[in-house]
Each structure stands twice: as C-alpha cells, then as structure tokens.
Amino acid sequence: MAANTTPGLQIQATKQCIPASQNVSKMSTMSFNFGSKRKSFTDFRSSSHISLTKPIHSFKLAPIKFERMVTKAMSGASEQVPVSGLPIDLRGKRAFIAGIADDNGYGWAIAKSLAAAGAEILVGTWVPALNIFETSLRRGKFDQSRVLPDGSLMEIAKVYPLDAVFDSPEDVPEDVKTNKRYAGSSKWTVSEVAESVKQDFGTIDILVHSLANGPEVSKPLSETSRKGYLAAISASSYSFISLLKHFLPIMNPGGATISLTYIASERIIPGYGGGMSSAKAALESDTKVLAFEAGRKHKVRVNTISAGPLGSRAAKAIGFIDMMINYSLENAPLQKELYAEEVGNTAAFLASPLASAITGATVYVDNGLNAMGVGVDSPAFTGLDIPKDNKS
C-alpha cells in the first residue's frame, strides 16, 4: 500500500559554515524529522528536521560554543517512505493575524510559519499603512520574504484595513474620520472587521495579536502623561481584549489565540517607557483571565509569547533596539542572534493540536534572557569565571 503524504510544519535548524581557523569538537547529530516520508541522506538537506548537537567523546563541562542557526518553518510533503514524527499540520485551519504592515516583523514570521503548516492566512493591517503594504505585496516587493521552505510563496487570502484602537464606528472621533490617511478605507474598526471576516469566510481557528504602540515610549514612566499612558494600554493590551471579544463568536472550538509580549512586563528595561511596560504586564495578566473565560465558554486557548529583541522596523522606532540586541547577545544563556522564524515556529506549535493542553501561558522565546538576574557583562563581574562563547 502506498503511504500517504502529510504536509505540515517542520522545523529545520541549519548551521552556518565555520572558518577553518576555529576549533570545533567532534559532534554527533540527532535529527527529528516532522515529515511523513523517509528521505535519503542526500535529500535530507531539503527535508525538514531539527538538528541537536552535543559532544560524544566527553561529558566534561567546558564553555559552550553556540553556532549561529537559522530556523525555518517548512511545508510540503516528502515523496518517499514515512518516518515517525510529530507534524504540525494546520491544513484546513484559518488564521487572522492583526498587525502586519511589512515583511520583517514577528507578525509576518508567524504568518509564514502558520502558512507553512498549511493554514489559510488573513491579515489585518493598520489603515494608514494599508496602501503601501498592499502595493508592495502586489508589485512583488515581498516575494523573496514570502518564499516558504518548499519553494512556494505564502498566499494571503485577504488583507483587511484595521485600527484596533476603535471597537465600533461610534468610537471613532471626527478628526480620525476626516484624516486623509483613512480616506478610501471603510469598515476598519474591530467589530466591523470581525463581521467582514464572518461574511467572507464564516469562521477562523487562529487569532494572532501582533499590535503595540506607545506614543510616549521614549519618556520615563514618571514623566508619561495620562493621555500617553492610556494610549499605550489601549493600543497594546486592550486591543487584544477587543479582538478576542469580537472574534470569539466566529472561532471554532479548539481554536487558539496568541499575542506578543516583552520582558519589560516584569523587569526594568530603561528606555521602554510611556506606559509600554505597564501595557505588557496587563497583556500577560489578561492572558490568564481570558484563557479561563475563553476556555470555559468557547474551548479556545489563549497564550502569549514573550519574544526577545528583534531589529524590525517597528522596534527601531523605540530608538535603542540595537542596544537590547547586543545586550542579549552578551548576557543570554544562548549567545546567538534571535530570529523572527523562531518566534513564528513557536506560534505555530501553540496554535496546533500539539499544544492542546497549553493555555494561559507566557512562553519565552528570547534565548533564555528572561532567566538572568544580572547582566554578566558588567565590570562588577570582572575576574569571575563566567562561561562564554568561544569565538577564537
């Protein structure tokens, strides 16, 4: 009997070349293939797997060398014999991702991973950015970023104008209604978008909140105005409550929602002000309460991902994102760059049946930085034997 193929999200960790001048110990490789058909070693490069490396000759503790790894969500099925594995198969599922306005942030990476696993993708884009986003998409400027691991392009079934700060048309002030950046767009409040999705597609299975804005983010919290503080809360945390409220009625039982948070919710991050730290703390607290309510009433799971710093266009508006990336590289347990795909793949897992018992959780995807109590690059620790990446 011929075996059936099972397309699904698969995870591939590829190691970059290491200069010959670097000392590399012998390593063994253990691969987990999340496909449905066995591939030969020659074809394994185009298959998907997770490669984990560890020394095989000694268990002696020594400073660990981390190789730079690129993680990609993979779709499609192999063409040979099935192998054991846990496929992330989201075929037949529909996802609405709120907050995508370009091709280099976490929202885009999540959309790609969900698409690689077989989900249909719907996008909500901030109204003032809608025209540029749709034009870039139509003219092929995002084509390179749309490429999935099987070579196909991620398809976006529909892009909806969205401003998640407003729940209904009655909430929109006159100066926004008449703003030229909103001209030509309609039905972009949260309730209207949910209704439009219902009319166009009926139901969804996955809801992703990738939204945040703090107009006074560069101000210390003690200097933040009431207006700026409430604006940060409204755009960055209450917007998730609103999305969930209006989309839950059209979410299928067993569905999942995912938001994005940041370690500033529980640790002091100087420069991340304007009420944004408060907004992220509120988002994480709301995740627990909403997990209970949505789980009991609708059998929908609610989780949030605490992602490490990424040099996206949106993050660069904060002004010190490069410092945070460098800080993470120096102080996180895993001394490597954080890739958007790693957050995307985590979101795909959380949206899948493999995470069917996970809800109300804050999942850290930050190379372990959240676990640190101090910055080990501080001069105060000079002289201590602190493990470091061997770069010689």
Side-chain angles (χ1 to χ4, degrees):
M1 179 184 295
N4 295 326
T5 59
T6 307
L9 182 143
Q10 308 152 355
I11 302 176
Q12 179 188 47
T14 58
K15 296 178 288 185
Q16 291 192 338
C17 295
I18 303 174
S21 60
Q22 297 188 15
N23 294 322
V24 184
S25 61
K26 292 184 179 181
M27 313 290 279
S28 66
T29 300
M30 177 170 58
S31 299
F32 295 85
N33 192 303
F34 288 12
S36 62
K37 298 202 169 217
R38 188 179 305 275
K39 280 190 173 284
S40 66
F41 182 78
T42 302
D43 294 333
F44 211 48
R45 291 171 299 174
S46 61
S47 178
S48 52
H49 58 283
I50 303 178
S51 293
L52 304 178
T53 58
K54 61 179 182 180
I56 60 175
H57 295 295
S58 173
F59 289 97
K60 181 179 179 181
L61 296 177
I64 300 172
K65 181 175 184 60
F66 290 94
E67 297 167 327
R68 185 181 179 197
M69 302 179 75
V70 180
T71 306
K72 301 178 180 179
M74 302 195 72
S75 67
S78 56
E79 299 177 355
Q80 297 179 23
V81 183
V83 296
S84 60
L86 294 174
I88 298 180
D89 188 355
L90 297 176
R91 290 176 299 170
K93 306 296 184 181
R94 183 176 297 116
F96 182 87
I97 300 102
I100 296 180
D102 55 42
D103 64 339
N104 74 339
Y106 283 136
W108 180 270
I110 291 172
K112 282 188 68 176
S113 290
L114 295 176
E120 183 178 23
I121 304 300
L122 312 178
V123 168
T125 299
W126 188 45
V127 184
L130 180 67
N131 184 53
I132 295 176
F133 180 74
E134 289 191 313
T135 300
S136 298
L137 197 61
R138 185 173 58 253
R139 293 181 177 176
K141 292 185 177 180
F142 296 155
D143 281 1
Q144 184 174 355
S145 299
R146 289 171 60 203
V147 176
L148 298 176
D150 65 356
S152 65
L153 297 182
M154 174 179 68
E155 296 294 338
I156 298 177
K158 188 165 183 176
V159 179
Y160 292 87
L162 171 67
D163 193 327
V165 168
F166 305 108
D167 299 329
S168 64
E170 294 74 25
D171 299 328
V172 183
E174 194 61 33
D175 62 324
V176 174
K177 291 180 181 178
T178 58
N179 190 309
K180 63 180 182 180
R181 296 194 299 171
Y182 287 76
S185 295
S186 61
K187 298 181 178 180
W188 42 260
T189 64
V190 176
S191 60
E192 291 175 300
V193 173
E195 182 60 30
S196 295
V197 171
K198 178 181 178 180
Q199 293 178 2
D200 294 340
F201 297 94
T203 62
I204 66 170
D205 303 277
I206 302 163
L207 176 65
V208 178
H209 176 276
S210 180
L211 298 164
N213 183 49
E216 298 181 17
V217 67
S218 60
K219 290 184 179 181
L221 184 59
S222 59
E223 297 177 15
T224 300
S225 69
R226 181 184 299 270
K227 182 179 179 181
Y229 183 91
L230 295 178
I233 295 289
S234 175
S236 308
S237 57
Y238 184 80
S239 56
F240 179 58
I241 298 175
S242 180
L243 281 168
L244 197 60
K245 174 184 177 181
H246 291 95
F247 276 87
L248 266 178
I250 65 169
M251 289 192 72
N252 293 316
T257 71
I258 300 163
S259 63
L260 292 170
T261 185
Y262 182 49
I263 192 64
S265 62
E266 54 185 293
R267 299 284 190 272
I268 299 169
I269 306 293
Y272 196 75
M276 283 302 300
S277 57
S278 306
K280 293 302 185 182
L283 181 64
E284 292 180 20
S285 178
D286 294 341
T287 294
K288 295 178 174 63
V289 177
L290 294 171
F292 173 75
E293 296 177 355
R296 289 296 184 96
K297 294 179 180 179
H298 300 275
K299 293 182 173 59
V300 168
R301 295 179 295 108
V302 182
N303 292 296
T304 187
I305 296 174
S306 184
L310 177 74
S312 64
R313 294 187 185 98
K316 287 185 179 297
I318 299 174
F320 70 105
I321 189 64
D322 290 335
M323 297 180 194
M324 292 309 302
I325 292 174
N326 290 334
Y327 179 86
S328 180
L329 285 170
E330 291 297 325
N331 294 285
L334 299 179
Q335 288 186 274
K336 68 178 187 64
E337 184 177 348
L338 178 67
Y339 294 95
E341 291 88 350
E342 294 172 304
V343 172
N345 291 338
T346 302
F349 162 72
L350 289 173
S352 77
L354 295 180
S356 59
I358 301 175
T359 193
T362 297
V363 179
Y364 296 95
V365 185
D366 62 356
N367 288 328
L369 187 63
N370 71 90
M372 300 301 298
V374 295
V376 295
D377 62 344
S378 169
F381 295 100
T382 300
L384 289 182
D385 185 17
I386 297 175
K388 292 184 178 180
D389 186 2
N390 293 327
K391 298 178 180 179
S392 59

